[in-house]
Amino acid sequence: MNLRLYRPTDITACLSIFDSNVPTYFAPQERGDFERFLHEHAAQCAFQVIEVEGQVVACGGLWNGGEGSASFCWGMVERGRHRQGLGRALAMARLYQAEADPSIQRITLSTSQHTQGFYAGLGFQVVRVVADGHGAGIDAVEMERVL
């Protein structure tokens, strides 16, 4: 497993990871937002990828929003590789990144009911739930962790 910064040449692999998680974890209409993010904002949030045997299989970033807060953004693992520790490795890398920045006191994220328990296991607390907030059948579960 190799964790490294995203490169523009990773866009196809990252979009494929997204596609593998539709419709359970992402709504189809979110794909355009993700693609725009990769083109316009990935570098600003130190977007990272995980490679296994040279293949990009997971990705995610940490957006420093200022005022003491940062957000996990667009974290995902190729669906066929769920439950292999890749999501945890990616989340921990982003937590360490946030903890190393003294300007960050809390991390927020928006996930779904399907991954809420995963993030709760990493110390995140539910702040708000919006039914169908990410799309039909995909609730927006807003969570935060104080550092």
Side-chain angles (χ1 to χ4, degrees):
M1 179 178 79
N2 178 42
L3 178 72
R4 65 166 173 80
L5 287 175
Y6 169 86
R7 297 186 286 246
T9 55
D10 297 323
I11 192 166
T12 301
C14 289
L15 290 171
S16 178
I17 294 167
F18 177 92
D19 293 341
S20 77
N21 285 287
V22 172
T24 303
Y25 300 96
F26 294 102
Q29 63 268 23
E30 292 180 285
R31 191 179 199 273
D33 292 339
F34 181 50
E35 187 169 5
R36 270 188 298 288
F37 167 84
L38 292 173
H39 283 293
E40 299 171 11
H41 301 291
Q44 295 169 327
C45 71
F47 201 68
Q48 301 174 72
V49 299
I50 292 178
E51 294 176 315
V52 173
E53 298 177 0
Q55 179 183 3
V56 174
V57 297
C59 57
L62 180 73
W63 180 272
N64 189 337
E67 298 181 18
S69 182
S71 299
F72 276 11
C73 57
W74 293 112
M76 63 192 82
V77 175
E78 182 182 288
R79 188 171 193 142
R81 294 180 182 266
H82 287 186
R83 300 198 167 281
Q84 295 179 12
L86 298 168
R88 182 172 178 73
L90 182 62
M92 294 307 295
R94 294 183 289 169
L95 284 172
Y96 295 144
Q97 179 185 356
E99 290 169 349
D101 185 335
S103 72
I104 299 173
Q105 285 88 47
R106 71 184 181 107
I107 302 171
T108 63
L109 60 85
S110 182
T111 192
S112 74
Q113 70 272 28
H114 304 296
T115 52
Q116 169 185 347
F118 169 80
Y119 288 108
L122 295 173
F124 285 84
Q125 306 265 327
V126 174
V127 175
R128 180 172 73 127
V129 177
V130 178
D132 297 329
H134 288 299
I138 306 174
D139 297 344
V141 181
E142 309 294 330
M143 302 181 81
E144 79 173 16
R145 176 178 162 169
V146 176
L147 299 179

